[in-house]
Amino acid sequence: MLAEIRGLNEECGIFGIWGHTNAAQLTYYGLHALQHRGQEGAGIVSTDGEALRALKGEGMVSEVFTPEKLEQITGTAAIGHVRYATAGGSGIENVQPLLFNSTTGSLAISHNGNLVNATQLKGHLERQGSIFQTTSDTEVLAHLIKRSGYESFEEKAKNALSLLKGAFACLILTEEAMFVALDPNGLRPLSVGKMGDAWVVASETCAFDIVGAEFVHSVEPGEFLIVNDEGMRKERFAYPEERSICTMEYVYFSRPDSDIDGINIHSARKRLGKQLAKEVHIEADVVTGVPDSSISAAIGFSEQSGIPYELGLIKNRYVGRTFIQPSQEMRERGVKMKLSPVRQVVNGKRVVMVDDSIVRGTTSRRIVALLKEAGATEVHVVISSPPIKNPCFYGIDISTSGELIAANNTVEEMREIIGADSLTFLSVDGMVQNIGRTDPGSKCGHCLACFTGEYPTNIYPDTVLPHEKEKVK
């Protein structure tokens, strides 16, 4: 969700559980496992079958929730959300789950992704009399549900979901049931697990491990799941379209211990590192990865190249991710705070620095400088993904091509900007083939829009800044 374009910017994580006496507490643990997907706000809505109760706030999961507060939202079902937002989308009113009360029943919604037709839908609803209380496009879904002419809540929700375009993994909670939906392209990951008689849903399978749930299946594109005291029922709100899961989930966002559609993230990143070593030959003494998301690729690069892997950079665990921070000033300060070179490892050495991506170049430039200040004689930067040249309209903090270093510079120019002795990116084909998906088509089930400019859905005119329109295919 794009701050400059539409005032919304989120990369989020969602968690839900139905049928457990400690639903809110387990949701708290599930959100802890998903904390890497957003650190600026968290919320839980629970139900005991009689009412919905919400608890949310700005900050980390451990800052928002305490044991005393969690006791206020007891129940046997709950949904939760962690979020990241940039300027224009922050504020307690935008922290999810969003809770809506009416005389015909209450509902709460957790949503990961971005709707590319939110502006059109909001305009239509406002002309019909709707008044919006947030700048989150999640609220659009609630209005569509309530205004639907269908009789049952299930049909209302399916009808409303069928009107949405873009990326959305959704959890909807009422007093009677929990509903699960994934957009027809499957742009975001979403999995279902079982914990005894309780059903669990999460953005990543690592959340299942922390609560003790067993993975059951991935939610399919266009699928609509109804979970209640009778069990789980599968339906559809739309036919599936060409699978286009965000490739950055494999490259950067997801935790290494998560699996997406049966593919382990750590293993996929190792394969990317090995492929990178096949595509470039570098004379060097040591390989190091930028913690944490690049460690797996660095190990793979080391194994394939024969250059020893060493822990050349140490991460301060109490500082958040620099890509998922709301301003450039905070990102630059975050780099200085979060990483320290291991001088004895890199001093006097030719270093291969493996990173997963270069977005704005600020982080890479600072890390290269840190390694050289620590005595590295050469720093060769290798990236386990292709250059990011295009904005994302599906929920990642890449607002416009103007802020993307690869959109405005050649690889050689980028190398000079970040101060590296060499700079190499993984090829698109090398990335796609080695992640390991086997979906039909040349893209093998991936969204590659930020790399290629080819978007899997229609992009509406008011979603794109005027000077960007010619770049959107």
Side-chain angles (χ1 to χ4, degrees):
M1 303 171 187
L2 312 177
E4 291 89 342
I5 295 176
R6 301 179 54 243
L8 305 172
N9 197 315
E10 303 183 321
E11 174 58 37
C12 309
I14 61 177
F15 183 92
I17 184 168
W18 183 276
H20 198 287
T21 54
N22 294 317
Q25 287 83 355
L26 289 170
T27 301
Y28 167 81
Y29 289 122
L31 295 182
H32 248 300
L34 301 174
Q35 184 74 86
H36 59 286
R37 300 185 69 88
Q39 297 100 41
E40 294 191 17
I44 297 173
V45 172
S46 69
T47 184
D48 56 5
E50 299 293 330
L52 300 184
R53 299 177 180 85
L55 176 61
K56 61 182 184 177
E58 294 181 283
M60 306 280 275
V61 172
S62 59
E63 297 170 337
V64 174
F65 306 108
T66 64
E68 293 75 23
K69 289 181 179 179
L70 287 172
E71 289 178 2
Q72 300 171 12
I73 53 172
T74 56
T76 56
I79 62 173
H81 189 273
V82 289
R83 84 185 294 260
Y84 155 65
T86 63
S90 58
I92 186 65
E93 70 276 4
N94 287 313
V95 176
Q96 299 184 37
L98 299 184
L99 174 60
F100 306 91
N101 296 305
S102 73
T103 56
T104 56
S106 302
L107 71 144
I109 303 175
S110 287
H111 165 221
N112 174 29
N114 181 59
L115 308 181
V116 296
N117 67 335
T119 301
Q120 288 82 2
L121 292 172
K122 186 175 286 190
H124 173 72
L125 290 164
E126 286 180 341
R127 287 191 293 273
Q128 291 185 330
S130 292
I131 298 175
F132 290 86
Q133 303 298 314
T134 75
T135 57
S136 171
D137 48 3
T138 306
E139 191 176 1
V140 171
L141 177 57
H143 284 267
L144 290 173
I145 291 173
K146 283 299 183 181
R147 286 184 172 273
S148 175
Y150 286 88
E151 180 98 13
S152 70
F153 185 89
E154 292 178 19
E155 293 305 316
K156 287 176 183 287
K158 288 197 291 184
N159 173 246
L161 289 162
S162 71
L163 301 175
L164 307 183
K165 305 296 181 184
F168 53 94
C170 291
L171 294 176
I172 305 171
L173 184 68
T174 69
E175 292 89 346
E176 293 81 26
M178 179 174 69
F179 304 90
V180 185
L182 183 64
D183 68 81
N185 292 100
L187 281 151
R188 292 277 161 256
L190 195 60
S191 297
V192 175
K194 199 79 187 290
M195 184 180 178
D197 293 328
W199 291 96
V200 184
V201 182
S203 294
E204 294 186 36
T205 59
C206 64
F208 295 161
D209 297 331
I210 199 171
V211 300
E214 294 289 331
F215 172 81
V216 176
H217 63 82
S218 299
V219 180
E220 295 296 319
E223 203 166 45
F224 182 74
L225 308 179
I226 302 99
V227 185
N228 54 30
D229 290 341
E230 297 176 0
M232 174 181 287
R233 189 169 81 255
K234 293 184 179 182
E235 295 190 12
R236 285 201 164 275
F237 69 89
Y239 290 109
E241 299 182 18
E242 182 180 1
R243 186 65 195 268
S244 303
I245 190 164
C246 173
T247 307
M248 290 300 286
E249 291 286 353
Y250 291 98
V251 172
Y252 175 78
F253 284 116
S254 295
R255 260 178 43 167
D257 53 337
S258 288
D259 298 337
I260 298 179
D261 294 334
I263 297 174
N264 174 253
I265 299 301
H266 166 71
S267 299
R269 289 175 184 167
K270 270 191 71 175
R271 290 193 295 271
L272 295 181
K274 288 185 175 183
Q275 178 62 26
L276 190 53
K278 294 176 183 177
E279 294 185 10
V280 63
H281 176 73
I282 297 173
E283 294 289 341
D285 304 306
V286 63
V287 174
T288 192
V290 179
D292 285 317
S293 52
S294 304
I295 298 299
S296 301
I299 294 171
F301 189 97
S302 172
E303 290 181 0
Q304 182 65 37
S305 67
I307 304 171
Y309 170 80
E310 290 284 358
L311 197 64
L313 292 163
I314 299 295
K315 180 180 179 181
N316 179 349
R317 301 290 171 182
Y318 302 99
V319 179
R321 301 172 105 179
T322 57
F323 182 42
I324 306 188
Q325 289 183 357
S327 70
Q328 185 64 19
E329 180 185 357
M330 288 301 293
R331 275 188 289 268
E332 292 192 24
R333 186 169 297 176
V335 174
K336 297 176 183 178
M337 292 174 61
K338 84 173 196 174
L339 287 176
S340 299
V342 182
R343 187 174 297 273
Q344 293 298 323
V345 169
V346 303
N347 187 31
K349 302 291 181 59
R350 298 169 297 173
V351 178
V352 176
M353 184 190 102
V354 181
D355 206 351
D356 48 66
S357 57
I358 296 181
V359 181
R360 300 168 182 89
T362 306
T363 301
S364 299
R365 184 175 68 247
R366 181 57 187 164
I367 298 173
V368 170
L370 285 173
L371 290 170
K372 291 195 171 182
E373 288 167 8
T377 57
E378 297 176 9
V379 177
H380 301 273
V381 177
V382 294
I383 306 298
S384 60
S385 65
I388 297 175
K389 298 181 177 181
N390 305 280
C392 175
F393 302 104
Y394 304 119
I396 295 177
D397 182 25
I398 304 173
S399 307
T400 67
S401 60
E403 67 180 304
L404 301 175
I405 188 173
N408 304 285
N409 298 277
T410 65
V411 173
E412 175 58 22
E413 289 169 340
M414 294 169 65
R415 182 198 66 76
E416 292 181 0
I417 291 170
I418 67 173
D421 291 274
S422 70
L423 173 62
T424 305
F425 289 89
L426 184 63
S427 65
V428 173
D429 287 344
M431 177 183 66
V432 170
Q433 293 169 9
N434 284 276
I435 284 175
R437 296 188 66 90
T438 57
D439 303 63
S442 60
K443 298 177 184 177
C444 297
H446 291 274
C447 174
L448 301 170
C450 61
F451 307 115
T452 66
E454 298 178 5
Y455 295 86
T457 72
N458 182 41
I459 302 298
Y460 291 75
D462 63 351
T463 307
V464 188
L465 292 176
H467 66 278
E468 301 277 356
K469 290 183 179 178
E470 71 277 4
K471 303 175 184 177
V472 178
K473 300 177 184 179

